[in-house]
Amino acid sequence: MAPFEKVVSDGAPTGEVTEAGGSGPGSLFEQAANSFVDAVKAGEDTAKAAMAGQADPHALVQALAQTELAIEAAVTVRNKVVEAYQEILRMPV
């Protein structure tokens, strides 16, 4: 399992929020963002190496698939955050 997938699938215990530097939702989002950036950079590096003839096509396809999966997961998380925000806006005051 890719690091980004592991962070997203592990999740945080429901209702538990800890101080900064702990293992609360903030640090999970930070880990997920860092894993996303690492996955995209690895895909870019492999693509550059493949264009220069230094990487085999199988490695390129695998890196692009990992990048696509990371982007789809990030978009899904973003959509859920936007949906939650819209739901909060609909709440009566």
Side-chain angles (χ1 to χ4, degrees):
M1 182 179 293
F4 183 72
E5 295 169 318
K6 181 172 178 9
V7 170
V8 171
S9 68
D10 285 350
T14 307
E16 184 177 318
V17 178
T18 60
E19 293 294 319
S23 62
S27 66
L28 286 174
F29 283 123
E30 183 179 352
Q31 290 173 359
N34 289 337
S35 295
F36 172 75
V37 169
D38 292 342
V40 171
K41 283 183 181 178
E44 288 176 353
D45 292 343
T46 304
K48 288 177 186 176
M51 284 188 258
Q54 299 170 349
D56 64 317
H58 179 71
L60 176 62
V61 170
Q62 191 174 21
L64 291 177
Q66 285 292 87
T67 302
E68 181 182 10
L69 186 62
I71 290 172
E72 287 177 5
V75 168
T76 301
V77 169
R78 183 213 53 193
N79 289 344
K80 290 293 185 180
V81 168
V82 168
E83 184 180 315
Y85 177 74
Q86 290 173 341
E87 193 64 32
I88 289 170
L89 288 178
R90 285 189 214 116
M91 289 182 180
V93 180

